[in-house]
Amino acid sequence: MKKLESAEQFNEMRVSGKHIFMFSADWCPDCRVIEPVLPEIEAKYNDYNFIYVDRDQFIDLCIELDIFGIPSFIGFKDGQELGRFVSKERKTQEEIENFIETLEK
């Protein structure tokens, strides 16, 4: 999973193509639980670019997007938000995949 490097990069990515931004942090235990399944999810939904957003590094972006719990996911396609799976709850592989399945329905 690519890591977001700047707020400018986020703005460029969200307006062009299909992206799922995963908001996370190194210290987050619920984020570490899903880490082993993320490569499988990325491979299954390879029409999306998956981008890791470090909550601590991009706290202003999180505030702007109302991301107050991690791990959280937001899907974008060509500038339009397709959906969000935002909460402070632990997430399972099945829940993440179900979220992705709903993005373009």
Side-chain angles (χ1 to χ4, degrees):
M1 186 176 294
K2 293 181 188 174
K3 282 186 101 172
L4 185 68
E5 297 174 15
S6 69
E8 293 79 19
Q9 183 187 35
F10 173 81
N11 289 324
E12 289 170 11
M13 287 180 165
R14 79 172 169 184
V15 298
S16 179
K18 292 170 69 171
H19 300 281
I20 294 178
F21 295 92
M22 176 185 149
F23 295 82
S24 185
D26 291 340
W27 51 263
C28 166
D30 290 341
C31 303
R32 299 292 69 81
V33 167
I34 62 170
E35 235 172 38
V37 301
L38 291 175
E40 185 180 331
I41 293 171
E42 284 186 84
K44 186 173 181 178
Y45 299 97
N46 61 9
D47 52 332
Y48 287 95
N49 295 307
F50 287 78
I51 309 298
Y52 176 94
V53 182
D54 186 305
R55 184 202 80 92
D56 295 334
Q57 186 179 355
F58 295 101
I59 192 70
D60 291 340
L61 181 60
C62 290
I63 292 168
E64 177 185 324
L65 294 170
D66 293 324
I67 307 290
F68 296 110
I70 53 175
S72 287
F73 299 83
I74 299 181
F76 281 95
K77 179 181 177 186
D78 298 331
Q80 179 181 350
E81 183 177 316
L82 299 175
R84 54 178 51 216
F85 187 14
V86 176
S87 72
K88 62 180 180 171
E89 308 300 320
R90 180 173 285 182
K91 292 159 182 69
T92 66
Q93 180 176 356
E94 182 181 5
E95 289 172 326
I96 296 167
E97 290 181 1
N98 286 341
F99 158 69
I100 296 169
E101 293 285 336
T102 67
L103 288 180
E104 292 202 56
K105 292 187 176 178

